[in-house]
Amino acid sequence: MMAIEAVAAVPGHGPVMRGRAYANLLIELLWSVRSQVGEPVRQGASLEETRKDVDLERFRKRFAGGDPERRRAFLGGFVVPNVDPAWQEAKGAFAPEN
């Protein structure tokens, strides 16, 4: 998104995002996931244990606010799809999809 200098992003849920704020928030979220997953993996945690250790509440508030439907969408659309590959990457077992 940054490389193509997009002026707006249309997320699956919520309003159209203008400027770089949404892209920067996504980058911040992904770095947070990656850093939070590293320590549990070093300690030998399973994927399920690691999912429980990752705290993305501050991001859920920023992405979904108080809307219950958007909060559920955040869990299904961000947490699992990002924690699982971060865990695989930290384990050295990441296999990109074809």
Side-chain angles (χ1 to χ4, degrees), residues 1-72:
M1 287 177 63
M2 299 297 213
I4 64 170
E5 298 182 18
V7 295
V10 183
H13 301 278
V16 172
M17 308 300 282
R18 304 207 183 277
R20 295 185 179 262
Y22 185 73
N24 287 328
L25 185 55
L26 286 172
I27 291 166
E28 187 181 342
L29 168 68
L30 294 172
W31 277 113
S32 180
V33 168
R34 192 174 197 206
S35 67
Q36 289 186 60
V37 165
E39 187 57 30
V41 168
R42 282 189 288 282
Q43 294 178 5
S46 69
L47 175 56
E48 191 61 36
E49 292 167 331
T50 302
R51 280 188 197 134
K52 292 176 185 174
D53 286 344
V54 173
D55 179 9
L56 298 174
E57 185 59 27
R58 71 185 175 105
F59 290 101
R60 185 161 68 168
K61 287 178 182 175
R62 291 169 71 188
F63 277 98
D67 184 289
E69 189 60 36
R70 288 173 59 192
R71 290 173 69 84
R72 280 190 291 279

Side-chain angles (χ1 to χ4, degrees), residues 70-94:
R70 288 173 59 192
R71 290 173 69 84
R72 280 190 291 279
F74 177 80
L75 176 63
F78 282 109
V79 176
V80 172
N82 289 301
V83 171
D84 291 19
W87 183 85
Q88 290 174 358
E89 179 186 46
K91 298 278 291 179
F94 182 70

